[in-house]
Amino acid sequence: MFEFFFKYSAYVYDKGEFVLAAGWPAIIATAVLAAIAIPVILRYSSVRGKSSRLDRSVLVTIRLCVLSIILFLLLQPSLAVSTAVPQENFVGIILDDSQSMQLTDYGDERLAPRSDFIHELFGNENSKLMMELNERFKPRFFRFSDSAERLEDLNELSYSGEQTRVGPALDFAHQELAAVPLSGLIIVTDGADNSIDGLSASLQSLRANSIPVFPVGVGMERFNRDIELTSVEAPTTVLAGSQVSADVVIEHKGFSGETVLLLVEGPDGIVGTQEVELPNQGDSTVVKAQFTTTREGPHLYSFRIAVQDDEMVRNNNQRDILIVVQDRQDKVLYVEGEPTNRTGFLRNFAIDDDPNLMLGVFMRMAENKFWRAGFESAEELAAGFPTTREELFQYKALIVGSFEADFFTTDQRQMIHDFVSQRGGSFLMLGGRNAFGEGGWQNTPVAEILPVELVPPFASAIDPFYVDVFVTPTLFGRTHPVTQMADSLELSLQHWQTLPPLGIVNQVGKVKPGAVSVLEGKTVNDETHVVLAYQRFGRGKALAFTPVNQWYWQMAFEIPLEDLTHETLWQQIFRWLVNEVPGQVTASTVVDRFAPGAPVTVTVGVLDDNFIEINNAAVTAIVTSPSGQTRGLELDWTVDTDGEYIATFIPDEEGFHQIHVWAGRDGKALGEDIAHVEIAKLSTEAFAAERRSALLARLAQETGGRLYSPENVASLPDDLRVSEGGTTVLEVKDLWDLPLIFMLLVALVGTEWSYRKVRGLA
Amino acid sequence: MEVWRSKSFLVVAGLGVLLGGTTLAHDSPSLPRHTETVEEASGQAYGGYIGDRNFVISRGNGLHEFYFTRAIYSSWSRGYGRRGRGSWATDWPKADVQFLWGLKRLTNIDAYDFDNPVTLDNPDLRRYPFLYMLEVGAMQLTPPEVEGLRDYLTAGGFLFVDDFWGTYEWQVFEHEIYKVLPSHEIVELPLDHPLFSNFYVIEEILQVPNVGNGRSGYGTWEQDGYVPHVRAIFDDDGRLLVLINWNTDLGDAWEWAEDPWYPLTYSNFAYQMAVNAIIYAMSH
């Protein structure tokens, strides 16, 4: 449409500079206009007859407009643009060879594969587009998916690539054509980039070299009917028996209000199901999927929704994630300021048979008289609560029961703070007559890490505080792993309603901003009290659990003997405490599943005994392939980040690879860690497969190119001529013969004639 | 870690002074509490000497961590219960309250100051994980009491048995406790068990005499119970459910600890044994 009125595309106007080719000074043109206009105005104003003052004003205005346009045309309006010298410049044509190009949403009926577009326009030498390109440029073809390469024949395209990596494809083509004058790069793709590469560096390089990119987007921007599991977020490493809560993002089009079943499948079959009602408003919803891990080792957990009728993409209804279930034993330190029933119930019922937890209990029985149990050796904590960071930081979680703050030295209180913020450990304060504000913890470093405010008045022995509260999960807590008491969220919530009340003896304030309440308690008077809250603090997290008699859920008459509420709650809290608490050495990869042949970069963080980053460690790794073959890796400090070391390798087998990392310094071992990656053919092309116009527009905007669709791609050769890339000459394009100007003149003259006719002035 | 030796520490010194003037009131005026009569709480009594039921049971409301809870059970004998009540009430409530005075001085347990008798078939029994029961040689449990005690122990409760003597009373107790825990075995608790060393180190099981024998010094035994035993019942997971003090009377030692004629050695041992049991029950 634009070109119909303005003769050239908007891109040409954008690239060109407006000039008046007649070369008259503007003052002369103005004088000429005035010389014509003034007599006309005077003539019309002196006319007396049947015309009114309004008539005369309208007619003189129209006449003056016509005169102005004619005068403007006499000034020879033109557009000066740099145009490519014919057959002097190259153009790179980069064609998407990934699987998503097989999706059938091209053509008038939206039934042809996207790849047809490539063959119709670029595979046919007689197509108008190719003829114009060949006439003006020297085209060079490339194909890309997970990698890019030169393409001699379009029949080599197989559309079987398992990834779409736009950035490396642009880099490759740019590099290949770096030595020749290059007018621009045409990239034909759906833009469904599913790589982890950033585009910024590639675009910056192209922009610096004045090479515009002309993306041609294919495919529908929005499918009519489709369900996609966009992402699944879950802990990558958990203890065996842990309750796992995964955030599943489900995106849909055309299924508003319909209910589908989400299945979770583990190594031993289905481990969870959940009905999901797809939202009416908005396309996506987040679902918490709950399941329990059992078998040790790296396992794939699949989340899927059965394929529905008329779905555009049938293999984007399933997502697989790798979860490493570890059978390690994590150390937890539990210090209790007085003999409490919960100590025995926790030890006896909650973690007694748990091989993955080592709960060391340090309990004060009387003034300066302590009882210890559950430690690795008789020497451990023989001198009391740790006095050095090294001693405290060996634990993954610290639980403080009814212990007054004054028992701890200033340094010990700061150590507890650092245990969370610096070491990344988990801290849990339990309710009790000497806990929270009643224990004098306000205005200490520990108060800073707690997720609840400690505000006076604090209860005391003289004025004790006590309330019974009925405990239920908060809106957030309903989907949290620690609150899951049954196979489904609904049953779990119903179970919470049946539990007898627990007692609270601490008056804590509100949950701090940024902290989250997981469980809350209501009194018979409907007053709300915090029961379980947590917040991230530094590298770790801190929890507050206010009831004093949680053991009652083991003993209560109202609860059947076979009920496992007490055990389940505390096993889940303990696992929450220790899961994902970092060690001194942590190995990770940016994703845990890679396509065959893709490079795998291992990143290792190394900390000393006080959990401070160190840059002079010796870090090595052994990669064990599924067949048992091993290879050694030496990891180097990244320099950019303290304590971070990396190495890259390319696996040569499919399946699970174990990466065992060791770090040491000055001959002393600092620690080790194990990461796992799976090498497998990925179905990433089925996800986010709609045309991503936003990404394609960015390619054009940041490089000075223009975005096309199959509907407007015909103007591409003309636009490419004025792209300013390659060898160019200055060309002046006439604008006097714009169709718009002709139509305007006709309209003005016609309007005057019509006006006269209507007013009887003709 | 410091461990207090049993023979080096005088447990109950001054108890008599502390106890002087104590009214044995059953409540703390500042705290709300539930009230209930024995009659209401026990439901049907069975063939025994429940006696006067028209008194208030002292029940905690959960504010305190520990309630010295005495089991009210049916019995065919009146025993030495106060004012004609059943054998459950032997030494009650003075022994209970006097023990609590000592417990609070010796440990930092947040204990309720007063006695807390509860019937075995009362659902609220489950609020108190530690249960004291004595004179079980006269015990004759009703079916609801059997069920109540079984569920209590299965749910996580701990039973401390005291003050029964000789072969006959053992047989009665054994018969009754097997109604509660029919598939469990009663075993001798060896001195190397952690219960004997978690607070005080107990190296010898003393026979604690009743107040009469203790004052007279004539002998420490009753009936044919010449040798004191500490026996136990464990569940399948090794959890200690029942601690049985046979041929000994710890309760009298607490009750008469302030009596200058009652030997300090026995009071001392009685406190140590009970403190260790309570600490063990709360931590295991």
Side-chain angles (χ1 to χ4, degrees), chain B residues 63-96:
Chain B
L63 174 62
H64 297 282
E65 193 64 37
F66 180 79
Y67 292 82
F68 188 82
T69 304
R70 175 181 285 253
I72 301 175
Y73 58 85
S74 299
S75 60
W76 53 262
S77 162
R78 197 176 60 177
Y80 293 88
R82 286 164 56 91
R83 294 191 291 274
R85 296 187 179 94
S87 62
W88 68 266
T90 302
D91 306 333
W92 173 80
K94 184 186 172 193
D96 306 34

Side-chain angles (χ1 to χ4, degrees), chain B residues 122-161:
Chain B
N122 186 333
D124 279 339
L125 179 66
R126 304 275 198 91
R127 294 183 180 277
Y128 314 109
F130 181 90
L131 183 64
Y132 177 69
M133 180 185 270
L134 83 171
E135 285 277 12
V136 293
M139 187 162 65
Q140 196 170 27
L141 298 176
T142 64
E145 288 173 333
V146 169
E147 188 181 351
L149 184 56
R150 181 189 299 130
D151 289 351
Y152 171 82
L153 295 172
T154 307
F158 180 93
L159 175 63
F160 185 96
V161 181

